[in-house]
Amino acid sequence: MTLMIIQLLIVLLALYVGSRYGSLALGAISGIGLAILVLGFGLQPGKPPTDVIYIIIAAVTCAGILQASGGMDWLIQIAERLLRKHPNHITILAPLCTFFLTVLVGTGHVVYTLMPIICDISLKKGIRPERPCGVASVASQVGITCSPIAAAVASFVIISNANGFNINNLQVIAITIPACLCGLMAAAAVSYKRGLDLDKDPAFQARLKDPQMKEYMYGNTASVLDKEVSKEAKRAVFIFLGALAVIVFFSIMQIAGHDIRPQFPTGKVVDGVAQVKPLAMNIIIQIVMITAAAFMVICCKASPKKAVAGAVWQSGMVAVVAIYGIAWLADTYFANYMDVMQSGLKDIVQHYPWAIAFAFFAVSVLINSQGAVVVAMLPLAYSLGIEGPVLLGVLPSVYGYFFIPNYPSDIATVNFDRSGTTVIGKYLLNHSFMRPGMVSVIVSTIVGTILVKIFY
């Protein structure tokens, strides 16, 4: 038992140190922990999550080329028009915009262009920017468990199918989208009158008295409405949406009992009959995404070099390395001590299976990746005997990295807010994202649990 605890501390230390360095270091430093466990302690290495990695590569390549085509700019323009048309309701509309952008594209990193616009609209309208900005940043990450092409959803489907819970991407988001929308609206509600109004905030009024600071806050207007969107960019958006529609169509037909996926022999013969099985949805997603990316390059003048240099593709590749290292390290540790964990946690799991949500949340605080949490923790959850519907209900709990405000979207939001109201507090945890993040995750997880009880 002592050795097991020492090795667990090594795993946690690797995750902690990796999260401090961020970016590629998160996956690379996990490799140090893996080397210590395997080469130092002689543990049998687990399996790297190749299926999940392939989906991320395909989806991120498609989204990156969409960005290179200019299609992302069109989506941001549509969102900006909505926000500027209804500025009084920006605390509700801003998180909805960032949420659905992430749902469409599968990554929360598409919202960086929209964040300065949210800050600008709220400031010019006299609304404390912290209110929409805090919840909008949270919403951009919440949308990951609601996107049919996101790593977290794809990972959940792959691992669940391997453990006897037959479910597809559409069935997952049919639970997570309404659950997370309820959570986000609750978060928006508690943010609606959060903090002092700007005209009553002494800190803001003190900054306003400085002419240079006043010019900095009010002198410029953040907008993408003046950016010309080409017909090729719009065409790229339609190709991307068409690819999503194809993926959803395969899932709908599967749910309806008319599975149209190609069938291939398994190599097994039962009672003289050759067995076949349908092509896995993760393979279909990869094929569709790569094909859509190719059409955007050919038909929409999207530059592959520009895509590789873009924020979406680069952040996606960072996620690949992070999931590769983290999931391999976690699988190595858990696989070697599965019997011990099953016996130790058996009573808790039997009586309170939903308590696994606390473990999901805690791990997410450490590793800053919802996909990595799913890949690392879901096999353990299934091995403990927790049923698939329970795990689907608590899936929103894999978002916990708002807790320590070191994630790029949160840091960027603080910098975008020229009013200075969106902050990382003096005591680190008293920051602008804590309240909307906690409310969103708690409400989403409760609603998700209720929904699976109704439908499963």
Side-chain angles (χ1 to χ4, degrees):
M1 181 61 71
T2 302
L3 194 61
M4 177 182 173
I5 294 174
I6 292 173
Q7 291 167 354
L8 175 60
L9 291 175
I10 291 171
V11 173
L12 295 177
L13 181 62
L15 296 179
Y16 175 78
V17 174
S19 67
R20 296 308 94 192
Y21 283 95
S23 191
L24 293 174
L26 189 55
I29 292 177
S30 295
I32 296 177
L34 182 65
I36 294 173
L37 294 186
V38 174
L39 303 179
F41 289 96
L43 297 188
Q44 183 176 348
K47 297 178 181 179
T50 51
D51 286 341
V52 175
I53 287 173
Y54 294 152
I55 286 183
I56 298 173
I57 292 173
V60 166
T61 298
C62 190
I65 291 178
L66 175 65
Q67 185 180 43
S69 72
M72 292 282 192
D73 294 333
W74 191 34
L75 295 177
I76 297 295
Q77 281 187 353
I78 294 171
E80 183 180 354
R81 287 193 184 97
L82 174 65
L83 295 176
R84 292 197 181 279
K85 187 176 181 180
H86 305 283
N88 290 327
H89 304 298
I90 194 168
T91 305
I92 293 175
L93 294 177
L96 288 177
C97 288
T98 57
F99 172 80
F100 282 110
L101 278 172
T102 298
V103 170
L104 280 176
V105 184
T107 172
H109 294 285
V110 300
V111 300
Y112 292 130
T113 307
L114 188 59
M115 278 301 182
I117 297 169
I118 294 171
C119 297
D120 183 75
I121 294 172
S122 55
L123 181 60
K124 301 292 176 60
K125 191 63 181 177
I127 297 171
R128 186 181 181 88
E130 179 187 33
R131 296 168 182 171
C133 289
V135 68
S137 181
V138 167
S140 71
Q141 303 306 313
V142 168
I144 289 173
T145 54
C146 303
S147 172
I149 60 173
V153 173
S155 304
F156 186 91
V157 170
I158 293 170
I159 297 169
S160 295
N161 289 343
N163 285 274
F165 181 38
N166 293 318
I167 194 169
N168 60 38
N169 301 55
L170 187 60
Q171 290 169 307
V172 171
I173 65 174
I175 296 295
T176 56
I177 286 180
C180 290
L181 282 175
C182 288
L184 287 176
M185 290 302 95
V190 301
S191 300
Y192 208 78
K193 291 296 182 180
R194 182 184 183 189
L196 296 172
D197 291 335
L198 292 180
D199 59 349
K200 298 180 179 66
D201 186 342
F204 176 79
Q205 291 300 316
R207 285 194 293 272
L208 200 59
K209 292 178 181 179
D210 183 338
Q212 290 184 339
M213 183 60 68
K214 183 177 181 179
E215 175 65 21
Y216 167 71
M217 290 191 291
Y218 289 97
N220 298 310
T221 298
S223 176
V224 295
L225 294 180
D226 58 347
K227 184 177 289 188
E228 184 178 352
V229 178
S230 66
K231 61 181 181 180
E232 289 83 8
K234 294 181 179 181
R235 190 183 303 145
V237 172
F238 291 130
I239 291 173
F240 187 85
L241 294 177
L244 292 180
V246 170
I247 294 169
V248 170
F249 179 70
F250 273 102
S251 297
I252 290 175
M253 296 303 290
Q254 187 180 349
I255 295 170
H258 301 287
D259 199 340
I260 60 173
R261 293 177 294 171
Q263 304 279 331
F264 297 100
T266 63
K268 297 180 180 179
V269 178
V270 177
D271 297 331
V273 179
Q275 300 297 298
V276 296
K277 68 175 182 179
L279 186 65
M281 273 302 299
N282 63 303
I283 302 297
I284 291 175
I285 292 173
Q286 293 172 50
I287 293 172
V288 172
M289 288 286 100
I290 289 295
T291 302
F295 277 124
M296 282 188 276
V297 171
I298 296 170
C299 304
C300 307
K301 300 180 181 179
S303 168
K305 290 184 178 180
K306 190 175 180 180
V308 171
V312 170
W313 195 87
Q314 290 183 1
S315 62
M317 291 303 105
V318 169
V320 167
V321 177
I323 289 177
Y324 179 54
I326 292 166
W328 199 1
L329 171 63
D331 188 70
T332 296
Y333 178 79
F334 291 135
N336 280 272
Y337 290 107
M338 195 61 69
D339 293 339
V340 178
M341 292 181 183
Q342 286 174 339
S343 61
L345 298 174
K346 184 177 181 180
D347 290 338
I348 297 175
V349 167
Q350 284 181 343
H351 292 91
Y352 310 105
W354 48 264
I356 194 67
F358 292 102
F360 287 172
F361 183 85
V363 173
S364 180
V365 171
L366 282 175
I367 63 179
N368 287 1
S369 170
Q370 296 173 62
V373 174
V374 173
V375 175
M377 297 298 293
L378 198 61
L380 171 64
Y382 276 116
S383 71
L384 294 172
I386 302 176
E387 296 180 348
V390 174
L391 296 171
L392 175 57
V394 301
L395 185 57
S397 66
V398 299
Y399 171 48
Y401 46 80
F402 66 86
F403 198 82
I404 300 174
N406 60 354
Y407 197 73
S409 61
D410 295 336
I411 295 173
T413 301
V414 171
N415 293 329
F416 288 142
D417 182 4
R418 302 193 300 271
S419 73
T421 59
T422 306
V423 296
I424 295 173
K426 179 180 178 181
Y427 304 103
L428 184 64
L429 297 183
N430 59 328
H431 52 79
S432 297
F433 313 100
M434 181 65 82
R435 186 189 301 180
M438 291 301 298
V439 170
S440 175
V441 170
I442 292 171
V443 173
S444 298
T445 303
I446 292 173
V447 173
T449 300
I450 293 171
L451 289 176
V452 295
K453 285 184 179 296
I454 295 173
F455 295 104
Y456 288 91

